[in-house]
Amino acid sequence: MARVAPIGKITPISQAGRKTTQRTVGGTYQAVFVMGIISLLLLGGIGSRLAYLQIVEGKTNQERAENNRIRTIPKQPVRGTIFDRKGKVLASSRLSHSVFIWPIAQTKNNWDKTVERLARVLEIPEEEIRQKVTQSDYSAPTLIRIARGLDVGQITALKEYNSDLEGIEIDIEHVRDYPEEDLGAHVLGYTGELDAEQLEKRKKDGYRLGDIVGQMGVEESLESQLRGEWGGKQVEVNGKGKVLRILGQKEAKAGKDITLTLDAELQKVAAATLGRRKGAIVALDPRNGEVLAMASYPTFDPNIFSGRITPQMWEELQGEGNPFVNRALRGFPPASTFKVVTATAGMESEKYPPGTVLNTFAYLRVGGTAFGEWNKAGFGPLGYVRALAWSSNTFFGQIGRGVSGPTLIDWSRRYGFGEKTGIELSSESGGLIADEKWKQENYDWEWTVGDTINMSIGQGFTQATPLQVAVMFAVVANGGYRVTPHLFKEEKDESEWRTSLDLEPETLETLRSGLRAVITTGTGSKLGYVPMAGKSGTAEAPPGPTHAWFGGYAPYNDPEIVVVAFAENSGGGGSKVAGPMVAKVVDAYLKGKK
């Protein structure tokens, strides 16, 4: 039977065992100490990070959190309506569906699938969509317009894919509408979204990404009045983008309505008269400079810019004939219409008073150059009236040579040639009235007598726009005042729109008699069924056919309207091609008054 140690008796431990026990206990204390240090370091790191996030980046993180639930929904103002002088709508706004992206709705890396689906439905390159979002910022809390003018098919497709298109919204907004389509397109212009370069220039004026602005015509020049003021809502949304409540709201302020001097019915007549002939027709009131009609062909329909314009579409639009060029504001050799200026310079200089009679020839020879008469024979002795009626080149060549270049240049500029008229269209050219300095700078050659003779018949370096030519005819029609042509209808006294050239009464009477003789006995006698006065012009335009001009005013004894027609490279002569165009517009105006 084994022996059992009595309870309470302690068995002695050996020296070796005691040492082993001490090492075990010591190791345990050391491990606990190390773990404690590590825990303290971890807790300290976490605490430091929390302190950093709260104290250093607290405001930033709070803003991010706010952006995730606060959305700014901008409300674009309704653009002002444009009316003609009788209240007919020329440009207004209509409702259209647009698609927007809310960048902050998901992370930048998750946008690929959304952009891919959106690009396929809208038929827009993915890069174009990404560029718009990048231009704004992927953390922007505002909506970014991706496309306007969605059709029913696109709207349906977007709604079908709604669950796969996070951060995408379809909304209704106003887009520009031109009910008369291409009527007056060069005057009205069109609207479109700001591009990156335009946005950078206009940020200081309160413009933002996605703003629609006037890009041409009065839409551009009267932008500040037509634009209006943005409004919008600030709303709180949940994680799925559903609006929980409206935090604030500002009503958009509509743009100002504008009334133009244009007469829509006369504009239609001018456009129809011009037809598909490359050129321009301008009609204005000679008493105050109000532009009644301004047609240019080729033209375009500004409604196309209410939707997306692809690079291919833009290239096609820029195609044949440069349809965006307003030929009423483009410079061309004015030809014999310019003889009004030459006649004025001759009479007002007193070198060739109103009673002057000069012999005419088959040509004028200056040095080695012969300046020919258009009938190749001359007309015998002529005074101003018959010289204007038959448009004698050698008569007015002698006048120009006699008064000298500086005098002719001076009177050209008094009539308004060589500078912009001041009409509210940025595309206007000032034309060209060359002088000695200009020729030295451009040709390194002195001004010659030949240059003066060329100018006296509206050729050589001289360039004038149809609008400038209309202003010239207005001087004769209104009794010697140079008017400022304008499109914005304002209630001002006539005197505020015109400046006197201080012409002698005899000068004015001679000019009027000469321009009336053009219709009664001269080159425009086939237009005698209309009670007007005027002047034709046929400009050389090598290597192409000649340009045709005609300008006139009516009624000849109490003028109310000036009309100038220009046909580019038409051939055929001014009286034959452009004259009937002027007569038709004048006739329509006079019948309209009855």
Side-chain angles (χ1 to χ4, degrees):
M1 184 173 181
R3 298 177 61 186
V4 179
I7 296 174
K9 185 176 182 180
I10 299 174
T11 305
I13 300 174
S14 67
Q15 187 68 28
R18 186 180 294 115
K19 288 181 180 179
T20 300
T21 301
Q22 288 175 348
R23 281 199 302 270
T24 301
V25 173
T28 300
Y29 286 150
Q30 188 176 9
V32 170
F33 177 77
V34 171
M35 289 179 67
I37 294 298
I38 293 172
S39 297
L40 286 172
L41 289 173
L42 289 173
L43 288 172
I46 293 171
S48 298
R49 180 59 180 169
L50 286 172
Y52 174 79
L53 291 173
Q54 287 187 354
I55 298 171
V56 180
E57 289 194 343
K59 187 176 180 181
T60 302
N61 290 325
Q62 185 179 359
E63 287 177 355
R64 287 175 181 169
E66 287 293 315
N67 286 340
N68 279 324
R69 68 182 186 87
I70 304 300
R71 179 186 300 184
T72 302
I73 304 176
K75 183 70 174 178
Q76 193 167 14
V78 179
R79 199 168 177 83
T81 301
I82 301 176
F83 299 94
D84 88 330
R85 66 189 300 114
K86 297 175 182 176
K88 188 177 184 65
V89 175
L90 299 176
S92 61
S93 299
R94 60 179 173 81
L95 295 176
S96 176
H97 287 84
S98 299
V99 61
F100 298 84
I101 279 182
W102 185 35
I104 206 170
Q106 53 181 298
T107 63
K108 181 177 180 180
N109 295 332
N110 293 336
W111 271 109
D112 288 346
K113 186 181 291 185
T114 301
V115 169
E116 181 184 352
R117 179 66 58 83
L118 195 61
R120 189 162 62 250
V121 171
L122 299 177
E123 297 181 348
I124 295 177
E126 293 181 28
E127 183 55 35
E128 186 176 321
I129 298 174
R130 287 195 178 88
Q131 201 171 34
K132 288 201 173 193
V133 180
T134 302
Q135 189 179 351
S136 174
D137 185 3
Y138 276 92
S139 62
T142 58
L143 296 173
I144 300 172
R145 184 193 303 103
I146 297 300
R148 297 189 295 160
L150 271 62
D151 58 38
V152 176
Q154 290 172 324
I155 296 170
T156 303
L158 289 174
K159 288 184 176 179
E160 286 178 354
Y161 295 131
N162 188 52
S163 59
D164 298 329
L165 294 172
E166 288 187 47
I168 302 300
E169 286 195 13
I170 300 172
D171 201 358
I172 295 175
E173 63 175 350
H174 289 88
V175 297
R176 210 56 166 157
D177 180 59
Y178 302 89
E180 299 295 332
E181 298 179 338
D182 63 356
L183 185 71
H186 292 93
V187 174
L188 298 174
Y190 62 91
T191 62
E193 255 186 67
L194 285 169
D195 59 30
E197 185 179 345
Q198 292 172 326
L199 177 61
E200 192 60 35
K201 291 179 180 178
R202 298 202 184 201
K203 273 184 179 178
K204 64 181 185 301
D205 298 321
Y207 285 86
R208 65 193 80 185
L209 185 70
D211 265 6
I212 304 297
V213 298
Q215 300 282 6
M216 179 183 170
V218 296
E219 291 278 25
E220 177 189 25
S221 60
L222 301 179
E223 164 70 17
S224 60
Q225 298 178 58
L226 292 165
R227 178 190 179 196
E229 295 180 10
W230 276 79
K233 296 178 182 179
Q234 193 174 52
V235 298
E236 182 179 357
V237 298
N238 61 19
K240 294 182 178 180
K242 183 179 179 181
V243 176
L244 300 177
R245 62 186 174 122
I246 297 174
L247 302 176
Q249 183 170 337
K250 177 188 175 184
E251 290 296 327
K253 184 179 179 182
K256 182 181 177 182
D257 293 341
I258 298 296
T259 298
L260 300 183
T261 60
L262 288 184
D263 184 322
E265 294 306 313
L266 194 65
Q267 180 75 26
K268 287 179 182 178
V269 173
T273 301
L274 191 58
R276 299 182 66 81
R277 183 184 285 112
K278 189 183 291 187
I281 293 179
V282 175
L284 57 80
D285 187 329
R287 297 165 295 189
N288 56 18
E290 290 184 352
V291 178
L292 305 176
M294 181 181 286
S296 178
Y297 187 85
T299 187
F300 63 96
D301 183 355
N303 285 303
I304 60 177
F305 294 97
S306 293
R308 176 175 174 267
I309 300 294
T310 66
Q312 183 181 354
M313 289 172 65
W314 181 249
E315 188 175 340
E316 290 174 357
L317 287 168
Q318 294 284 1
E320 187 177 353
N322 297 318
F324 293 97
V325 172
N326 186 349
R327 283 167 169 76
L329 305 180
R330 187 85 174 267
F332 301 92
S336 293
T337 61
F338 194 79
K339 290 171 181 174
V340 170
V341 175
T342 307
T344 303
M347 289 184 277
E348 290 294 310
S349 69
E350 299 183 350
K351 288 189 175 182
Y352 300 94
T356 297
V357 175
L358 299 175
N359 201 15
T360 59
F361 311 95
Y363 58 85
L364 289 177
R365 185 174 292 281
V366 177
T369 304
F371 296 88
E373 187 63 82
W374 66 267
N375 72 348
K376 300 180 180 179
F379 297 94
L382 293 177
Y384 279 107
V385 174
R386 290 186 62 220
L388 284 167
W390 290 106
S391 196
S392 171
N393 288 338
T394 57
F395 178 92
F396 288 103
Q398 291 176 80
I399 298 291
R401 181 176 61 184
V403 301
S404 77
T407 300
L408 189 57
I409 290 167
D410 175 55
W411 275 103
S412 302
R413 291 175 176 162
R414 290 199 207 185
Y415 267 94
F417 292 105
E419 63 183 51
K420 295 182 179 182
T421 66
I423 195 169
E424 310 93 324
L425 296 173
S426 63
S427 60
E428 181 183 18
S429 164
L432 175 63
I433 294 297
D435 54 16
E436 174 101 27
K437 180 182 178 182
W438 180 91
K439 192 177 180 188
Q440 285 283 4
E441 290 176 352
N442 288 273
Y443 290 92
D444 194 23
W445 196 257
E446 63 184 8
W447 188 266
T448 67
V449 174
D451 293 326
T452 301
I453 292 177
N454 257 335
M455 177 180 281
S456 70
I457 58 174
Q459 292 283 177
F461 304 118
T462 308
Q463 299 278 312
T465 71
L467 183 61
Q468 288 175 327
V469 174
V471 170
M472 179 195 73
F473 279 108
V475 171
V476 183
N478 65 28
Y481 296 91
R482 174 179 159 185
V483 295
T484 300
H486 55 281
L487 289 159
F488 186 29
K489 183 74 172 168
E490 292 184 90
E491 297 302 325
K492 288 184 179 181
D493 188 81
E494 288 179 1
S495 62
E496 296 188 50
W497 295 112
R498 56 194 208 174
T499 305
S500 177
L501 296 190
D502 296 322
L503 299 180
E504 293 293 331
E506 289 179 297
T507 299
L508 276 170
E509 181 57 35
T510 303
L511 290 172
R512 284 182 163 181
S513 297
L515 297 182
R516 178 59 181 157
V518 170
I519 305 299
T520 56
T521 61
T523 57
S525 58
K526 291 184 178 180
L527 310 175
Y529 62 93
V530 179
M532 68 178 186
K535 182 73 187 75
S536 62
T538 304
E540 296 177 0
T546 56
H547 302 317
W549 288 88
F550 199 95
Y553 56 81
Y556 66 88
N557 56 345
D558 187 17
E560 298 177 17
I561 185 172
V562 167
V563 180
V564 170
F566 168 74
E568 183 178 342
N569 297 127
S570 63
S575 292
K576 183 178 179 181
V577 177
M581 295 161 66
V582 171
K584 189 171 182 178
V585 175
V586 168
D587 193 42
Y589 171 82
L590 295 176
K591 286 179 178 177
K593 285 200 57 105
K594 290 180 182 179

Short mmCIF file of all heavy atoms in Angstrom, two decimals, residues 1 88 118 138 169 173 191 200-201 240 267 283 287 317 402 405 410 440 485 488 511 570 579 584 591:
data_model
loop_
_atom_site.label_atom_id
_atom_site.label_comp_id
_atom_site.label_asym_id
_atom_site.label_seq_id
_atom_site.Cartn_x
_atom_site.Cartn_y
_atom_site.Cartn_z
N MET A 1 0.85 -1.19 0.00
CA MET A 1 0.00 0.00 0.00
C MET A 1 0.88 1.23 0.00
O MET A 1 1.83 1.38 0.75
CB MET A 1 -0.90 -0.01 1.25
CG MET A 1 -1.88 1.16 1.27
SD MET A 1 -3.03 0.96 2.64
CE MET A 1 -4.00 2.41 2.34
N LYS A 88 -44.04 91.23 -83.76
CA LYS A 88 -43.97 89.83 -84.18
C LYS A 88 -42.77 89.17 -83.50
O LYS A 88 -41.67 89.73 -83.45
CB LYS A 88 -43.82 89.74 -85.69
CG LYS A 88 -43.91 88.33 -86.25
CD LYS A 88 -43.83 88.33 -87.76
CE LYS A 88 -44.02 86.93 -88.33
NZ LYS A 88 -45.35 86.38 -88.07
N LEU A 118 -24.41 56.07 -70.76
CA LEU A 118 -24.95 57.38 -71.13
C LEU A 118 -24.51 57.77 -72.54
O LEU A 118 -25.31 58.28 -73.34
CB LEU A 118 -24.47 58.43 -70.12
CG LEU A 118 -25.18 59.79 -70.12
CD1 LEU A 118 -26.66 59.63 -69.81
CD2 LEU A 118 -24.53 60.71 -69.09
N TYR A 138 -15.28 66.43 -60.01
CA TYR A 138 -16.00 65.22 -59.64
C TYR A 138 -16.64 65.33 -58.26
O TYR A 138 -17.48 64.53 -57.90
CB TYR A 138 -15.07 64.00 -59.68
CG TYR A 138 -14.94 63.43 -61.08
CD1 TYR A 138 -13.92 63.84 -61.92
CD2 TYR A 138 -15.84 62.47 -61.55
CE1 TYR A 138 -13.79 63.33 -63.20
CE2 TYR A 138 -15.72 61.95 -62.83
CZ TYR A 138 -14.70 62.38 -63.65
OH TYR A 138 -14.60 61.87 -64.92
N GLU A 169 -29.92 62.70 -64.08
CA GLU A 169 -31.26 63.26 -63.96
C GLU A 169 -31.71 63.85 -65.29
O GLU A 169 -30.91 64.40 -66.04
CB GLU A 169 -31.31 64.35 -62.89
CG GLU A 169 -31.26 63.80 -61.48
CD GLU A 169 -31.66 64.84 -60.45
OE1 GLU A 169 -32.21 65.88 -60.85
OE2 GLU A 169 -31.43 64.59 -59.25
N GLU A 173 -36.02 72.27 -69.27
CA GLU A 173 -35.52 73.64 -69.23
C GLU A 173 -35.89 74.36 -70.52
O GLU A 173 -36.32 73.74 -71.50
CB GLU A 173 -34.00 73.66 -69.00
CG GLU A 173 -33.20 73.02 -70.11
CD GLU A 173 -31.70 73.17 -69.88
OE1 GLU A 173 -31.31 73.93 -68.98
OE2 GLU A 173 -30.93 72.54 -70.63
N THR A 191 -27.80 81.05 -80.00
CA THR A 191 -27.25 80.87 -78.65
C THR A 191 -26.59 79.50 -78.55
O THR A 191 -26.88 78.59 -79.32
CB THR A 191 -28.36 80.97 -77.59
OG1 THR A 191 -29.33 79.93 -77.81
CG2 THR A 191 -29.06 82.32 -77.64
N GLU A 200 -13.77 81.07 -69.15
CA GLU A 200 -12.66 81.68 -68.44
C GLU A 200 -12.73 83.21 -68.52
O GLU A 200 -12.45 83.91 -67.54
CB GLU A 200 -11.33 81.19 -69.05
CG GLU A 200 -10.11 81.52 -68.22
CD GLU A 200 -10.15 80.90 -66.82
OE1 GLU A 200 -10.68 79.78 -66.66
OE2 GLU A 200 -9.65 81.56 -65.88
N LYS A 201 -13.15 83.72 -69.68
CA LYS A 201 -13.23 85.17 -69.86
C LYS A 201 -14.43 85.77 -69.13
O LYS A 201 -14.39 86.94 -68.73
CB LYS A 201 -13.34 85.48 -71.36
CG LYS A 201 -12.07 85.19 -72.15
CD LYS A 201 -12.27 85.51 -73.63
CE LYS A 201 -11.01 85.21 -74.43
NZ LYS A 201 -11.21 85.48 -75.88
N LYS A 240 -29.91 57.69 -51.86
CA LYS A 240 -30.33 57.32 -53.21
C LYS A 240 -30.62 58.54 -54.08
O LYS A 240 -31.08 58.42 -55.20
CB LYS A 240 -31.58 56.45 -53.14
CG LYS A 240 -31.34 55.10 -52.47
CD LYS A 240 -32.60 54.27 -52.47
CE LYS A 240 -32.35 52.89 -51.84
NZ LYS A 240 -33.58 52.06 -51.83
N GLN A 267 -38.54 91.99 -94.20
CA GLN A 267 -37.41 91.05 -94.15
C GLN A 267 -37.71 89.83 -95.01
O GLN A 267 -36.82 89.33 -95.72
CB GLN A 267 -37.15 90.63 -92.70
CG GLN A 267 -35.99 89.66 -92.52
CD GLN A 267 -34.63 90.31 -92.67
OE1 GLN A 267 -34.47 91.50 -92.44
NE2 GLN A 267 -33.64 89.53 -93.07
N ALA A 283 -32.13 97.37 -96.00
CA ALA A 283 -33.12 98.45 -96.08
C ALA A 283 -33.10 99.21 -94.77
O ALA A 283 -33.11 98.60 -93.70
CB ALA A 283 -34.52 97.88 -96.34
N ARG A 287 -34.04 108.63 -92.33
CA ARG A 287 -34.26 109.75 -91.40
C ARG A 287 -33.61 109.52 -90.05
O ARG A 287 -33.19 110.46 -89.38
CB ARG A 287 -35.76 109.98 -91.24
CG ARG A 287 -36.44 110.39 -92.54
CD ARG A 287 -37.94 110.26 -92.47
NE ARG A 287 -38.38 108.87 -92.32
CZ ARG A 287 -39.65 108.48 -92.42
NH1 ARG A 287 -40.60 109.38 -92.65
NH2 ARG A 287 -39.98 107.21 -92.28
N LEU A 317 -22.00 72.68 -91.69
CA LEU A 317 -22.59 74.01 -91.64
C LEU A 317 -21.65 75.07 -92.20
O LEU A 317 -22.09 76.09 -92.74
CB LEU A 317 -22.97 74.37 -90.20
CG LEU A 317 -24.18 73.65 -89.61
CD1 LEU A 317 -24.26 73.88 -88.11
CD2 LEU A 317 -25.46 74.13 -90.28
N GLY A 402 -8.59 115.64 -110.37
CA GLY A 402 -8.53 117.08 -110.15
C GLY A 402 -8.56 117.47 -108.68
O GLY A 402 -7.83 118.38 -108.26
N GLY A 405 -5.98 112.92 -104.31
CA GLY A 405 -6.25 111.80 -103.40
C GLY A 405 -6.69 112.20 -102.01
O GLY A 405 -7.71 111.72 -101.50
N ASP A 410 -10.68 112.18 -97.80
CA ASP A 410 -11.34 112.90 -96.71
C ASP A 410 -12.86 112.79 -96.83
O ASP A 410 -13.55 112.49 -95.84
CB ASP A 410 -10.91 114.37 -96.74
CG ASP A 410 -11.66 115.20 -95.71
OD1 ASP A 410 -11.63 114.83 -94.52
OD2 ASP A 410 -12.29 116.20 -96.09
N GLN A 440 2.08 102.44 -98.29
CA GLN A 440 3.50 102.27 -97.95
C GLN A 440 3.69 101.07 -97.06
O GLN A 440 4.62 100.27 -97.24
CB GLN A 440 4.03 103.53 -97.26
CG GLN A 440 4.26 104.71 -98.18
CD GLN A 440 5.53 104.58 -99.01
OE1 GLN A 440 6.23 103.58 -98.95
NE2 GLN A 440 5.82 105.60 -99.81
N PRO A 485 -26.69 103.57 -88.33
CA PRO A 485 -27.66 102.48 -88.47
C PRO A 485 -27.75 101.68 -87.18
O PRO A 485 -26.73 101.43 -86.53
CB PRO A 485 -27.11 101.64 -89.61
CG PRO A 485 -25.66 101.93 -89.64
CD PRO A 485 -25.50 103.33 -89.16
N PHE A 488 -31.63 98.16 -82.43
CA PHE A 488 -32.35 98.21 -81.17
C PHE A 488 -33.32 99.38 -81.21
O PHE A 488 -32.92 100.54 -81.34
CB PHE A 488 -31.36 98.37 -80.02
CG PHE A 488 -31.97 98.30 -78.65
CD1 PHE A 488 -33.11 97.57 -78.40
CD2 PHE A 488 -31.38 98.97 -77.59
CE1 PHE A 488 -33.68 97.51 -77.14
CE2 PHE A 488 -31.92 98.92 -76.31
CZ PHE A 488 -33.08 98.18 -76.10
N LEU A 511 -26.96 116.16 -106.64
CA LEU A 511 -26.89 114.72 -106.39
C LEU A 511 -28.28 114.08 -106.55
O LEU A 511 -28.43 113.03 -107.18
CB LEU A 511 -26.35 114.44 -104.99
CG LEU A 511 -24.87 114.76 -104.74
CD1 LEU A 511 -24.53 114.62 -103.26
CD2 LEU A 511 -23.98 113.85 -105.59
N SER A 570 -21.98 87.79 -109.45
CA SER A 570 -23.17 87.42 -110.23
C SER A 570 -22.99 87.62 -111.72
O SER A 570 -23.64 86.97 -112.54
CB SER A 570 -24.36 88.25 -109.76
OG SER A 570 -24.12 89.63 -110.02
N GLY A 579 -30.55 95.98 -109.62
CA GLY A 579 -31.59 97.00 -109.71
C GLY A 579 -33.00 96.47 -109.49
O GLY A 579 -33.76 97.01 -108.66
N LYS A 584 -38.03 95.76 -106.22
CA LYS A 584 -39.03 94.87 -105.64
C LYS A 584 -39.22 95.14 -104.15
O LYS A 584 -40.36 95.16 -103.66
CB LYS A 584 -38.60 93.41 -105.86
CG LYS A 584 -39.66 92.41 -105.48
CD LYS A 584 -39.26 91.00 -105.91
CE LYS A 584 -40.36 89.99 -105.56
NZ LYS A 584 -40.02 88.62 -106.01
N LYS A 591 -46.27 99.60 -101.06
CA LYS A 591 -47.59 98.97 -101.07
C LYS A 591 -48.03 98.61 -99.65
O LYS A 591 -49.21 98.71 -99.32
CB LYS A 591 -47.56 97.71 -101.94
CG LYS A 591 -47.52 98.01 -103.43
CD LYS A 591 -47.47 96.72 -104.25
CE LYS A 591 -47.47 97.04 -105.76
NZ LYS A 591 -47.35 95.81 -106.58
#
